[in-house]
Amino acid sequence: MALRHAVLTALLAGESTGYDLSKRFDASVANFWPASQQQIYRELDRLHREELLEVTVVEQEKRPNKRVFRLNERGRGELAGFIREETKPATVRDDLLVKVAALNDDNGTEIAAAIRRRRSSAEEKLVLYEHLQAAALDGSTETEFLERGHGAGLYLALKRGLSFERENLRWYDEVLAVVAPGATSADQ
Amino acid sequence: MALRHAVLTALLAGESTGYDLSKRFDASVANFWPASQQQIYRELDRLHREELLEVTVVEQEKRPNKRVFRLNERGRGELAGFIREETKPATVRDDLLVKVAALNDDNGTEIAAAIRRRRSSAEEKLVLYEHLQAAALDGSTETEFLERGHGAGLYLALKRGLSFERENLRWYDEVLAVVAPGATSADQ
DNA sequence: ATATTCATGTAACAAGTTACATGATTAG
DNA sequence: CTAATCATGTAACTTGTTACATGAATAT
């Protein structure tokens, strides 16, 4: 029941269409609450039906009309309530870990290959996160930024994403050292 | 489509009833592929219907009959196939991160409270993982254990769980320093 | 006495995934 | 000329969650 709260949180940054939200999601909230475009449309419809969002329809001649959603007071109240509720435990689901757990004498090289592929997408993600971080800081030091207080929450969440990906990379290398000893992580 | 592979992986450690499997899950695979008892029963039924598992019914007088499942060759083949398939990206879903992302001037203390609660369950989890690690190593050094090769996969997956929880704790303290400065992490 | 363990299951529902459809517009 | 972008949506399906039910056995 918490995609709704992720959506409301994303709308804190300002009103948005479903289409735009799903992109904003990818660049911020998706890190700890992934959602497809379809899920977001569905959730926006629901939230609107339950009157937690206001909508303005922007007519467009050559394209489908836009629906621009924004938080209303009830929406903000819902978020405030969510923050007071019990926090559910985090869940991680990772195919790669299932593969590694199933390691045996026959599948080592295939698992190593899977890890190398994952390793490069993790590197890309890390670069992306580092850019987002630099953009957020915009020249300030982290201490300055956090003292100012603006956007501290999203920034801190981003930092968790950063350390998650860094630990992933570390762990990928650790596993590669076991399943493909000899090959260094520089080998692609 | 990968709960099935998590279940098959868990059955690599030996035949099991649904009831037992769901506990074995909690102590190993749940870390990176959580599943409720009901999901596991459902999946075992499916896997059995698709003939990837063998079953032996153990009659019991005073309790419902046990169904003991074990991998057959097709089941092992399915796992081998899974390892060759493309690895889907990991997903993390965490209410606490949604809360932190929604940080504002009004909700800081509530968020701090949520983090402190999560912090103590993370500490418990860490202790559990450390016990599992010690039990796996059983006196050997990690290098010795990994060279022996037995159970290396599950061990490596466990290590990812360990570092995940350690990073969580680190990050919780980092966030607390921002939202509840003055209070130290020793304050409960 | 009471709670927990053993061991299964059904049912309803909520959430997430995948595929498809429309159709003009702009960028390469 | 082609691919990607804008912007919406439907539908079918698979997964995951929650609640409930049974009923003896054992542990506190």
Side-chain angles (χ1 to χ4, degrees), chain A residues 161-172:
Chain A
L162 274 160
S163 85
F164 182 70
E165 287 308 336
R166 291 206 179 104
E167 279 298 293
N168 275 339
L169 286 173
R170 225 208 14 75
W171 184 79
Y172 297 154

Side-chain angles (χ1 to χ4, degrees), chain A residues 105-122:
Chain A
D105 294 335
D106 300 329
N107 57 22
T109 41
E110 276 146 357
I111 289 177
I115 294 171
R116 285 197 203 93
R117 265 177 257 126
R118 178 65 80 76
R119 202 185 183 288
S120 35
S121 44

Side-chain angles (χ1 to χ4, degrees), chain B residues 89-108:
Chain B
T91 61
V92 178
R93 285 199 161 83
D94 191 348
D95 271 10
L96 189 59
L97 275 146
V98 178
K99 292 186 182 185
V100 170
L103 178 68
N104 65 25
D105 295 334
D106 299 329
N107 57 20

Side-chain angles (χ1 to χ4, degrees), chain B residues 78-129:
Chain B
E78 170 76 18
L79 247 186
F82 163 69
I83 282 163
R84 270 179 254 114
E85 275 169 29
E86 247 213 295
T87 315
K88 294 199 187 132
T91 61
V92 178
R93 285 199 161 83
D94 191 348
D95 271 10
L96 189 59
L97 275 146
V98 178
K99 292 186 182 185
V100 170
L103 178 68
N104 65 25
D105 295 334
D106 299 329
N107 57 20
T109 41
E110 276 146 357
I111 289 177
I115 294 171
R116 285 198 203 92
R117 265 177 258 127
R118 178 65 81 75
R119 201 184 184 289
S120 35
S121 45
E123 272 174 335
E124 282 168 34
K125 225 179 206 175
L126 193 55
V127 169
L128 168 69
Y129 287 169

Side-chain angles (χ1 to χ4, degrees), chain B residues 4 9 17 24 29 49-50 61 76 84 91 93 98 113 118 122 145 185:
Chain B
R4 68 193 306 102
T9 299
T17 64
R24 193 193 290 178
V29 192
R49 244 183 284 123
E50 296 172 31
E61 303 128 39
R76 285 171 202 279
R84 270 179 254 114
T91 61
R93 285 199 161 83
V98 178
R118 178 65 81 75
F145 174 82
S185 64

